Amino acid sequence: MTPSAPDPQPGLLEPGLWAAYRELAAKTVRTDLTHAFHPGQPHFPGFPGEGRETLFGTECGDGFTVHRHTLMGRSGAPMSTRPRTSWPAGAPWT
């Protein structure tokens, strides 16, 4: 989802970058690529499928329902792929 630019206050000049953003955003087409997860959905054959486990349930007398969803996917940031030896000593993420 693309954040919207704040509306300028009446009588104030709008900063140039927000004006450019509004002009470009008005010409774009946004496509929602989200989708629901479900058992049996297509996935890489080397990974297990989607899993769902009920941890607590109203039908068991818990008073609330909690599910654990297990989804396999490739994710991560470039920092996580670097060996620890390349991180500076005392860095906040070590």
Side-chain angles (χ1 to χ4, degrees), residues 38-50:
H38 57 85
Q41 70 185 31
H43 61 280
F44 176 68
F47 294 155
E50 184 266 354

Side-chain angles (χ1 to χ4, degrees), residues 3 7-8 10 19-21 36-37 39-40 46 49 56 63 66 68-70 83 89 93:
D7 291 325
Y21 170 81
F37 293 102
F56 301 95
V66 174
R68 175 184 299 160
H69 295 268
T70 307
W93 56 83

Side-chain angles (χ1 to χ4, degrees), residues 31-75:
T31 304
D32 184 0
L33 297 177
T34 60
H35 62 280
F37 293 102
H38 57 85
Q41 70 185 31
H43 61 280
F44 176 68
F47 294 155
E50 184 266 354
R52 179 174 150 179
E53 174 187 0
T54 302
L55 301 178
F56 301 95
T58 53
E59 61 280 348
C60 300
D62 292 320
F64 59 96
T65 302
V66 174
H67 295 116
R68 175 184 299 160
H69 295 268
T70 307
L71 302 169
M72 293 295 294
R74 185 195 169 294
S75 63

